CSV table of all heavy atoms in Angstrom, one decimal:
chain,number,residue,atom,x,y,z
X,92,ARG,N,-62.9,-91.1,120.7
X,92,ARG,CA,-63.8,-91.4,119.6
X,92,ARG,C,-63.7,-92.9,119.2
X,92,ARG,O,-64.7,-93.6,119.2
X,92,ARG,CB,-63.5,-90.5,118.4
X,92,ARG,CG,-63.9,-89.1,118.6
X,92,ARG,CD,-63.2,-88.2,117.7
X,92,ARG,NE,-61.7,-88.4,117.8
X,92,ARG,CZ,-60.8,-87.6,117.1
X,92,ARG,NH1,-61.2,-86.7,116.3
X,92,ARG,NH2,-59.5,-87.8,117.3
X,93,ALA,N,-62.5,-93.3,118.9
X,93,ALA,CA,-62.3,-94.6,118.4
X,93,ALA,C,-61.1,-95.3,119.1
X,93,ALA,O,-60.4,-94.6,119.8
X,93,ALA,CB,-62.1,-94.6,116.9
X,94,PHE,N,-60.9,-96.5,118.8
X,94,PHE,CA,-59.8,-97.3,119.4
X,94,PHE,C,-58.4,-96.5,119.1
X,94,PHE,O,-57.5,-96.5,120.0
X,94,PHE,CB,-59.8,-98.7,118.8
X,94,PHE,CG,-58.8,-99.6,119.5
X,94,PHE,CD1,-59.0,-99.9,120.8
X,94,PHE,CD2,-57.7,-100.1,118.8
X,94,PHE,CE1,-58.2,-100.8,121.5
X,94,PHE,CE2,-56.9,-101.0,119.5
X,94,PHE,CZ,-57.1,-101.3,120.8
X,95,THR,N,-58.3,-95.9,118.0
X,95,THR,CA,-57.1,-95.2,117.5
X,95,THR,C,-56.7,-94.1,118.5
X,95,THR,O,-55.6,-93.7,118.6
X,95,THR,CB,-57.2,-94.7,116.1
X,95,THR,OG1,-58.5,-94.1,116.0
X,95,THR,CG2,-57.0,-95.9,115.1
X,96,ASP,N,-57.7,-93.5,119.1
X,96,ASP,CA,-57.4,-92.4,120.1
X,96,ASP,C,-56.8,-92.9,121.4
X,96,ASP,O,-56.1,-92.2,122.1
X,96,ASP,CB,-58.7,-91.7,120.5
X,96,ASP,CG,-59.2,-90.7,119.4
X,96,ASP,OD1,-58.4,-90.3,118.6
X,96,ASP,OD2,-60.4,-90.4,119.5
X,97,TYR,N,-57.0,-94.2,121.6
X,97,TYR,CA,-56.7,-94.7,123.0
X,97,TYR,C,-55.3,-94.6,123.4
X,97,TYR,O,-55.0,-94.2,124.5
X,97,TYR,CB,-57.2,-96.2,123.1
X,97,TYR,CG,-57.0,-96.8,124.4
X,97,TYR,CD1,-57.9,-96.4,125.5
X,97,TYR,CD2,-56.0,-97.7,124.7
X,97,TYR,CE1,-57.7,-96.9,126.8
X,97,TYR,CE2,-55.8,-98.2,125.9
X,97,TYR,CZ,-56.6,-97.8,127.0
X,97,TYR,OH,-56.4,-98.3,128.2
X,98,GLU,N,-54.4,-95.0,122.5
X,98,GLU,CA,-52.9,-95.0,122.8
X,98,GLU,C,-52.4,-93.6,123.2
X,98,GLU,O,-51.8,-93.5,124.3
X,98,GLU,CB,-52.1,-95.6,121.7
X,98,GLU,CG,-50.8,-96.2,122.1
X,98,GLU,CD,-50.1,-96.9,121.0
X,98,GLU,OE1,-50.8,-97.4,120.1
X,98,GLU,OE2,-48.9,-96.8,121.0
X,99,TYR,N,-52.7,-92.7,122.4
X,99,TYR,CA,-52.3,-91.3,122.6
X,99,TYR,C,-52.9,-90.8,123.9
X,99,TYR,O,-52.2,-90.2,124.8
X,99,TYR,CB,-52.8,-90.4,121.4
X,99,TYR,CG,-52.7,-88.9,121.5
X,99,TYR,CD1,-51.5,-88.3,121.7
X,99,TYR,CD2,-53.8,-88.2,121.4
X,99,TYR,CE1,-51.4,-86.9,121.8
X,99,TYR,CE2,-53.8,-86.8,121.5
X,99,TYR,CZ,-52.6,-86.2,121.6
X,99,TYR,OH,-52.5,-84.8,121.7
X,100,GLU,N,-54.2,-91.1,124.1
X,100,GLU,CA,-54.9,-90.6,125.3
X,100,GLU,C,-54.4,-91.2,126.6
X,100,GLU,O,-54.2,-90.6,127.6
X,100,GLU,CB,-56.4,-90.8,125.2
X,100,GLU,CG,-57.0,-89.9,124.1
X,100,GLU,CD,-56.9,-88.4,124.4
X,100,GLU,OE1,-56.8,-88.0,125.5
X,100,GLU,OE2,-56.9,-87.7,123.4
X,101,LEU,N,-54.1,-92.5,126.5
X,101,LEU,CA,-53.6,-93.3,127.7
X,101,LEU,C,-52.2,-92.7,128.1
X,101,LEU,O,-52.0,-92.5,129.3
X,101,LEU,CB,-53.5,-94.8,127.3
X,101,LEU,CG,-52.9,-95.7,128.4
X,101,LEU,CD1,-54.0,-95.9,129.5
X,101,LEU,CD2,-52.4,-97.0,127.9
X,102,GLN,N,-51.4,-92.5,127.1
X,102,GLN,CA,-50.1,-92.0,127.4
X,102,GLN,C,-50.1,-90.6,128.0
X,102,GLN,O,-49.5,-90.4,129.0
X,102,GLN,CB,-49.3,-91.9,126.0
X,102,GLN,CG,-47.8,-91.6,126.3
X,102,GLN,CD,-47.1,-91.5,124.9
X,102,GLN,OE1,-47.7,-91.2,123.9
X,102,GLN,NE2,-45.8,-91.8,125.0
X,103,MET,N,-51.0,-89.8,127.5
X,103,MET,CA,-51.2,-88.4,128.1
X,103,MET,C,-51.7,-88.5,129.5
X,103,MET,O,-51.3,-87.9,130.4
X,103,MET,CB,-52.1,-87.6,127.2
X,103,MET,CG,-51.6,-86.3,127.0
X,103,MET,SD,-52.3,-85.4,125.6
X,103,MET,CE,-53.9,-85.8,125.4
X,104,ALA,N,-52.8,-89.3,129.7
X,104,ALA,CA,-53.4,-89.5,131.0
X,104,ALA,C,-52.4,-90.0,132.1
X,104,ALA,O,-52.4,-89.5,133.2
X,104,ALA,CB,-54.6,-90.4,130.9
X,105,LEU,N,-51.6,-91.0,131.7
X,105,LEU,CA,-50.7,-91.6,132.6
X,105,LEU,C,-49.6,-90.6,132.9
X,105,LEU,O,-49.1,-90.6,134.1
X,105,LEU,CB,-50.2,-93.0,132.1
X,105,LEU,CG,-51.3,-94.0,132.1
X,105,LEU,CD1,-50.7,-95.4,131.6
X,105,LEU,CD2,-52.0,-94.2,133.4
X,106,THR,N,-49.1,-89.9,131.9
X,106,THR,CA,-48.1,-88.9,132.2
X,106,THR,C,-48.6,-87.8,133.1
X,106,THR,O,-47.9,-87.4,134.1
X,106,THR,CB,-47.7,-88.2,130.8
X,106,THR,OG1,-47.3,-89.2,129.9
X,106,THR,CG2,-46.5,-87.2,131.0
Side-chain angles (χ1 to χ4, degrees):
R92 290 161 301 187
F94 189 65
T95 43
D96 283 340
Y97 183 74
E98 203 175 328
Y99 170 61
E100 293 299 334
L101 178 76
Q102 190 179 25
M103 224 162 34
L105 293 179
T106 305

